[in-house]
Amino acid sequence: MTPVERPSSEGISRRNFYVGAVYGMWAAISAALGIPALIYLFFPPKARKAEEWVEIGDVSKLAPDSPVEMVFRRNRVDGWKVISEKGTAWVVKQADRSIVAFGPQCTHLGCAYHWDEGKNDFLCPCHSSVFSVDGRVVSGPAPRPLDRFDVQVKGSKLLLGRLRQRREQNG
Amino acid sequence: MKSIADWLDHRTGLQTAIRQFLYEEIPASSGWHQVFGSVAVFLFLTQAFTGALLAFNYAPTPGDAYNSLRYILTELTGGRLIRGLHHWGASMMIVVVVLHMVQVFLYGAYKKPREATWMLGVVLLLLTLAYGLTGYLLPWDNRAYWGTVVTTQIAGQAPVLGPYIQRLMGGGGPVGVVTFARFYGLHVLLLPPATLVLIAIHIYLVRKHGVAPAPGDELLPKQQFYPRQVFKDTVAIFVAFAILFVMALVARVPLEQLADPTDTSYVPRPEWYFLFLFQTLKLFSGPLEVVGSVVLPGLAILTLILVPFFDRGKMIKVTRRTFAFSFVLLGAIGWTGLTLAAVKSTPKEAEVAVDYSAPTDWMQLSPEEMAGVAYFRDENCISCHAIGELGNSVGPDLTRITIHKDAAWMIQHFKRPSAMRPGSSMPPIQLSDAQLNALAAFLLKLNPDNATALSNAPDFATQGALVYLANHCGSCHLVNGVGMKVGPPLNGLSKRQSRSWVEEHFADPQKLSPGSFMPPYKLSPKDMENLTSYLFALPE
């Protein structure tokens, strides 16, 4: 069952036309299906309302350089839903009385770390990353300092905004 | 390159298989009339592809289905196109499968030894319809819900088997999570592999017996499937796809209101390809109903399956098959007549026609802001100003927060534009203070995120809001949190009262709600319609 080539040049050019047209049309169809599919899968959804500030508690009685884990609820857009979920932050009143709120996950692989009163450090139990009270990496595999929430203090109330990564070791 | 290809062929036989497939010999008479089978297979694969894409962002439970589909339509780039392809692809698939059957029927290609190929084809037709039936429920809007309620009831009427089929559909009681899960399971888990297997066997049988020759073919040299017939098939596929693509781009697939089992005013209608069955059902009533709903369709399917055994004569030229032609013609006339009758009997959409597949931020506007939209349109502000992506850029973009002023500034500006903004070429707006207030209220609400959504507000809503303001309804009632609480709030009115109740209530409130001190309102029919539609479109 091998193709029987027609000897005439007219037959060959017609054959070439058929083959070229078949490839061309399939390429067009694939593009018309494939490109929208890629756009559909890779473009982020149209942004909905930007995250609001969420009030998480009273910070007037915090002792300086003594981190406290604060639990709060906030709304998050999750696909087609807005879900209300529990969040935590390690809140520290620094020596200059400014407030810092760290995201609750180790910057290495996302484990939950905790404050070690005795050593005055944040310790991650997974791979032994150690962070100082201002979030800098003291030792261990963590690649960057602890992530920080945007914060606002209104009276004695602390408001949290977005969680941001920092690249630099200082501050 | 060649050595890799040779290695692959030696180990798998892939190339030899492809070659055998492509260089299959087909009769000399083969041509354009035999392209429909390939188009059907192509459409099936396209449906599988777009269906999988939809499934990536779709939650198959009644609680989430509607919202996730809205998310696909309004928030994902390309989501509307993918859904359009899937929706219109389903309709097109039914058209093409039927055309394929008509061609085979007209040519008598079902005759010995191809009876099994035909019978399998009938089963594939039924599977195609089953996709339509099960997929119809998945958007979980009113159309989907009520259509399926009727379907499951009909299934329950089948003699002997009825209750069992209904049980299998999760029905018997109201259509709910169980029915939904079963329809979804059928639609995406059971039907696709079953279809694939049957298509494979169908094509295998076509290959086994060869493409049906026409009388006279035996004297002519055979041709090869590739490239001439492949070219013809591809052209047909390309044309079908082009039509489908344009339809998906242009024809908006509606999404109605979320399924509402308590909606007593909804008139369900099946998808167009089932309308003829719907109409047949109407021809029978009482104890004979089962004839229209189950017996006749069942007999039709049986007849279709047995066609090769009714017609066992020798192959004759297609042009001489007058009986087959008249049979198809009769069928087509019958189908068209029934479908047209069904379309005619479908009531005009008197209910609020809101397209929920588009952003509906306009529903959140207060009546005054909504009236502002009406003035914005009447004054044709958009001929100079842009709102987001719409309009012109002669004047400033009104969604840009940086140019926002307070209402008092705006009203002064509307009256004498050049006084507030020297050098402005904007003409003064000739409206009353109250009207300018409404316009300013609307403009204060504009931002880049809701701009396109606000321009979506249907005319009945803006006109209804004008009637609402003119009659000072807000002095007693609350809409979207604005107004007074003397009378009942009007959000959710559509859940509490029927349209006719509301319209009658305007004319004589005390007759319908004794003790009410709402004064009667004499509204023109047009005003009445707009106001009621507007109130019915309010979010709950």
Side-chain angles (χ1 to χ4, degrees), chain A residues 94-112:
Chain A
Q94 293 184 315
D96 63 357
R97 306 193 64 76
S98 66
I99 302 281
V100 176
F102 296 115
Q105 291 180 314
C106 174
T107 53
H108 178 218
L109 292 172
C111 291

Side-chain angles (χ1 to χ4, degrees), chain B residues 70 212 410:
Chain B
R70 273 209 66 187
M410 277 201 221

Side-chain angles (χ1 to χ4, degrees), chain B residues 194-527:
Chain B
T195 315
L196 263 184
V197 169
L198 291 187
I199 288 177
I201 302 176
H202 192 70
I203 294 178
Y204 162 77
L205 288 176
V206 171
R207 290 286 151 148
K208 179 179 163 66
H209 299 300
V211 172
D217 267 344
E218 55 280 1
L219 302 172
L220 298 165
K222 293 198 167 210
Q223 51 167 332
Q224 280 166 346
F225 181 54
Y226 185 81
R228 199 161 79 150
Q229 186 63 29
V230 170
F231 167 76
K232 288 174 182 170
D233 284 9
T234 307
V235 168
I237 287 169
F238 188 78
V239 169
F241 181 74
I243 296 172
L244 174 60
F245 198 82
V246 170
M247 280 184 84
L249 278 180
V250 175
R252 218 179 161 84
V253 185
L255 179 67
E256 293 186 356
Q257 210 171 338
L258 175 68
D260 179 5
T262 64
D263 190 340
T264 50
S265 61
Y266 194 79
V267 185
R269 281 290 184 277
E271 195 61 311
W272 65 267
Y273 40 82
F274 285 126
L275 277 176
F276 75 104
L277 282 175
F278 162 87
Q279 193 65 19
T280 310
L281 191 57
K282 287 198 198 164
L283 301 175
F284 302 89
S285 60
L288 283 180
E289 201 181 16
V290 67
V291 176
S293 63
V294 182
V295 177
L296 275 186
L299 281 178
I301 293 166
L302 197 67
T303 313
L304 216 49
I305 290 180
L306 295 179
V307 156
F309 303 101
F310 294 137
D311 172 24
R312 309 176 65 159
K314 275 179 64 182
M315 271 293 208
I316 53 171
K317 267 197 145 148
V318 61
T319 43
R320 291 176 56 204
R321 286 175 54 87
T322 37
F323 183 74
F325 269 100
S326 29
F327 196 82
V328 169
L329 195 67
L330 267 181
I333 292 173
W335 182 88
T336 313
L338 286 169
T339 304
L340 281 181
V343 170
K344 261 196 174 160
S345 75
T346 304
K348 286 272 172 300
E349 285 191 20
E351 295 307 314
V352 184
V354 177
D355 183 0
Y356 286 85
S357 74
T360 48
D361 297 29
W362 58 267
M363 286 183 191
Q364 310 296 336
L365 294 180
S366 73
E368 191 182 34
E369 291 155 1
M370 186 65 90
V373 178
Y375 299 130
F376 188 86
R377 290 181 185 171
D378 286 349
E379 296 297 323
N380 208 9
C381 306
I382 204 149
S383 62
C384 290
H385 286 288
I387 3 177
E389 294 153 18
L390 299 169
N392 287 305
S393 53
V394 180
D397 179 346
L398 297 175
T399 59
R400 273 175 32 225
I401 315 291
T402 45
I403 66 151
H404 274 189
K405 305 283 190 206
D406 60 16
W409 186 94
M410 277 201 221
I411 290 168
Q412 288 310 314
H413 179 60
F414 294 153
K415 289 179 175 169
R416 282 187 54 213
S418 55
M420 301 306 283
R421 187 144 280 170
S424 167
S425 57
M426 173 169 145
I429 305 176
Q430 312 284 350
L431 290 174
S432 73
D433 279 2
Q435 292 169 328
L436 289 177
N437 236 326
L439 183 56
F442 160 64
L443 291 177
L444 284 170
K445 259 282 163 68
L446 267 180
N447 65 48
D449 291 337
N450 65 14
T452 45
L454 295 186
S455 61
N456 275 341
D459 280 337
F460 69 74
T462 60
Q463 297 305 313
L466 291 179
V467 180
Y468 185 91
L469 284 193
N471 290 287
H472 305 287
C473 307
S475 310
C476 291
H477 291 284
L478 205 60
V479 161
N480 288 338
V482 179
M484 304 297 268
K485 287 185 179 167
V486 180
L490 297 174
N491 289 67
L493 180 65
S494 61
K495 293 283 166 289
R496 302 195 297 267
Q497 303 295 354
S498 73
R499 227 182 140 85
S500 54
W501 187 96
V502 170
E503 297 193 342
E504 217 177 311
H505 188 267
F506 283 127
D508 189 356
Q510 281 70 34
K511 187 177 148 204
L512 291 170
S513 28
S516 159
F517 45 85
M518 173 165 154
Y521 288 91
K522 296 261 174 296
L523 301 172
S524 74
K526 191 75 207 157
D527 283 356

Side-chain angles (χ1 to χ4, degrees), chain A residues 1-4 14-15 17-19 21-23 25-26 28-29 32-34 36-37 39-41 43-48 79-81, chain B residues 23 42 46 49 53-54 56-57 59 64 67-68 71-72 74-77 79 81 85 224 226-228 230-231 234-235 237-238 241 245:
Chain A
M1 279 220 193
T2 47
V4 187
R14 182 182 296 170
R15 191 190 153 88
F17 165 74
Y18 286 149
V19 173
V22 166
Y23 277 101
M25 284 186 281
W26 278 110
I29 292 171
L33 279 175
I39 290 175
Y40 169 80
L41 290 176
F43 275 38
K46 293 191 182 102
R48 285 204 257 178
W80 49 89
K81 283 179 162 178
Chain B
Y23 295 113
F42 167 77
T46 310
F49 181 67
L53 286 174
L54 288 174
F56 287 159
N57 285 298
D64 274 335
N67 286 332
S68 56
Y71 167 79
I72 292 174
T74 59
E75 292 182 42
L76 294 181
T77 316
L81 174 67
L85 287 172
Q224 280 166 346
Y226 185 81
R228 199 161 79 150
V230 170
F231 167 76
T234 307
V235 168
I237 287 169
F238 188 78
F241 181 74
F245 198 82

Side-chain angles (χ1 to χ4, degrees), chain A residues 54-111:
Chain A
V54 55
E55 188 183 304
I56 75 161
D58 190 335
V59 288
S60 59
K61 295 189 181 70
L62 287 187
D65 280 343
S66 166
V68 174
E69 185 178 16
M70 296 178 102
V71 178
F72 57 95
R73 291 204 80 82
R74 75 186 310 172
N75 290 338
R76 186 167 63 84
V77 175
D78 185 9
W80 49 89
K81 283 179 162 178
V82 178
I83 53 171
S84 166
E85 63 180 9
K86 214 179 85 172
T88 59
W90 284 94
V91 180
V92 189
K93 185 180 273 180
Q94 293 184 315
D96 63 357
R97 306 193 64 76
S98 66
I99 302 281
V100 176
F102 296 115
Q105 291 180 314
C106 174
T107 53
H108 178 218
L109 292 172
C111 291

